[in-house]
Amino acid sequence: MKKRLLILAGGMASRMKKAMAEGGSDLDPSLVAQANSVTKGMIQVGKNGKTLIDYQLYNAHLAGIEEVMLLLHPTDSVSQEYCESLMAKDACWGLQIVFARQQIPADREKPAGTADAVYQVLMQHDSWQTGRVIVCNSDNLYSVNALKLLWSSNETQALISYHRDSLLYPAERISAFALIRTDADGYLLEIIEKPTQEQADELMAQLGRLGVSMNIFVFESSTFLPFLAATPFHSVRNEKELPTSVAMFGEGTGKGFYAIPLAENVPDLTSKEDILVMQKYLEETYGDF
C-alpha cells in the first residue's frame, strides 16, 4: 500500500488577500503581490525562491510518503505546472505528485468546503478509494514527526491533538482554535469550534491538557467515504467541513478517530502578517535548503 498524502489547496485564500494592518511591515512588495494573486502554497517564503509547497513536499519525502495529491481550485493555473516541472527535473525526491480539482457547483460562487474537497478527490481517482490517506491543509507546515506518527498509528483513523500551550501564536488567536474532546481511551468525541473559556476550563479539568485540532488526519478511504458523502452543510458557513465528517465517524461506528497527543508548533500561512513569521521559521529550521 502506497503511503499517500492529500494536501487541500483549493480554497479561495480570502484572508490572505486582505490588506495588511495599518502601518504595514517589512514584507517584500513582491511577496505582497504573490499573496494577492497565487495560492498560499505558491508564495515564495523560502530561500532562493522556494515556495511553501517545496517544504511540504520535502517533509513528506522525509516522512516516507510516496504519493502526494494536490487538491486545487479549478482556476489555479500555477500550482500544477510548478509541481510538474519539479517532477520533470527530478527535483522532488522521487515523489509522485498527482492532481485533482474541486469543482464548484453552478449555484455557488465558492468551493463547498473541505469535506467536499476530499470527497471529490476520492471520486476523481479510483485508486485512492481504498487504502489509508493522510489529509492536511495547504497553509500549515506539518512536521516530519507528525506525518510519521499518523502513518505509523495502530489506529486506522487518527488525528493529531496538539498541546495548545505548544502553539506559538498570539493568545487571542489560540483561544479560538478548535479543541478536541476525547473519551478516557483517547478516542474523539467532539471537535469544539471557537470554544468558550468555560469549555476550555472544563476540558482541562477532565483531561489534564488542552488538545487542539490543526486539521491533519489519517483514515481508510473506503471506510470514511460514506461519511464524507453524508456530511451536511454548516448552518452558518454553508460549507461541508472535514472536521464535521471526522466527528460523524465516531457517531456512526461507535469508536471515533484516535487522538495522538503531540507537543510542537505548527507554522501557519493564513494572512500576510504570517509571511514574515514563516520566513523566520524556515530559515531557523531548514537553513540553506
Side-chain angles (χ1 to χ4, degrees), residues 10-287:
M12 300 290 286
S14 55
R15 283 177 288 180
M16 179 60 74
K17 292 179 173 60
K18 289 182 178 179
M20 296 188 69
E22 189 173 345
S25 72
D26 298 326
L27 188 59
D28 189 315
S30 67
L31 291 177
V32 174
Q34 289 178 32
N36 289 331
S37 60
V38 300
T39 185
K40 287 175 279 191
M42 288 292 100
I43 299 175
Q44 295 173 319
V45 288
K47 286 194 173 183
N48 303 315
K50 285 188 172 64
T51 67
L52 181 60
I53 191 64
D54 284 295
Y55 293 88
Q56 293 167 335
L57 294 175
Y58 182 57
N59 281 3
H61 152 69
L62 293 177
I65 300 297
E66 299 166 278
E67 186 173 16
V68 174
M69 175 80 73
L70 286 182
L71 184 282
L72 304 175
H73 191 278
T75 64
D76 185 341
S77 60
V78 177
S79 302
Q80 182 168 342
E81 182 178 347
Y82 181 82
C83 291
E84 287 176 340
S85 72
L86 292 179
M87 287 189 288
K89 294 183 293 187
D90 195 22
C92 54
W93 310 281
L95 285 171
Q96 181 182 359
I97 308 173
V98 291
F99 308 92
R101 301 277 172 164
Q102 185 176 12
Q103 300 305 318
I104 302 174
D107 61 345
R108 293 181 60 92
E109 294 182 357
K110 300 194 303 181
T114 50
D116 176 71
V118 178
Y119 181 77
Q120 288 202 35
V121 165
L122 300 183
M123 297 308 293
Q124 290 175 28
H125 291 263
D126 291 350
S127 64
W128 281 60
Q129 293 178 17
T130 57
R132 295 179 85 214
V133 175
I134 296 174
V135 60
C136 66
N137 288 345
S138 65
D139 53 1
N140 293 111
L141 184 56
Y142 303 95
S143 71
V144 175
N145 185 34
L147 294 169
K148 284 184 173 180
L149 281 173
L150 277 176
W151 192 267
S152 62
S153 171
N154 291 328
E155 302 292 337
T156 306
Q157 276 70 227
L159 75 160
I160 298 292
S161 174
Y162 289 94
H163 289 266
R164 193 166 81 165
D165 292 344
S166 298
L167 297 173
L168 303 180
Y169 297 94
E172 181 179 356
R173 188 170 173 183
I174 290 178
S175 66
F177 287 174
L179 292 178
I180 293 171
R181 185 167 72 89
T182 65
D183 64 18
D185 296 320
Y187 293 96
L188 180 69
L189 294 173
E190 183 182 10
I191 296 177
I192 305 171
E193 297 182 18
K194 300 188 184 331
T196 64
Q197 185 59 50
E198 290 74 18
Q199 288 173 315
D201 292 342
E202 182 182 350
L203 281 179
M204 177 62 79
Q206 289 176 353
L207 304 175
R209 65 181 291 272
L210 292 179
V212 169
S213 171
M214 297 298 287
N215 294 321
I216 181 167
F217 313 97
V218 67
F219 56 80
E220 163 57 47
S221 293
S222 61
T223 304
F224 194 48
L225 189 55
F227 295 91
L228 293 168
T231 302
F233 282 95
H234 190 281
S235 59
V236 176
R237 290 186 288 275
N238 193 31
E239 293 182 352
K240 298 181 177 184
E241 300 181 332
L242 186 57
T244 302
S245 313
V246 169
M248 286 170 56
F249 181 86
E251 297 168 2
T253 65
K255 181 180 285 189
F257 275 52
Y258 184 72
I260 303 172
L262 182 59
E264 64 180 26
N265 188 40
V266 185
D268 175 84
L269 200 61
T270 296
S271 66
K272 291 183 177 72
E273 286 77 11
D274 296 324
I275 293 177
L276 287 173
V277 178
M278 180 67 79
Q279 286 181 310
K280 181 180 179 182
Y281 172 83
L282 294 177
E283 184 174 356
E284 292 175 349
T285 306
Y286 293 88

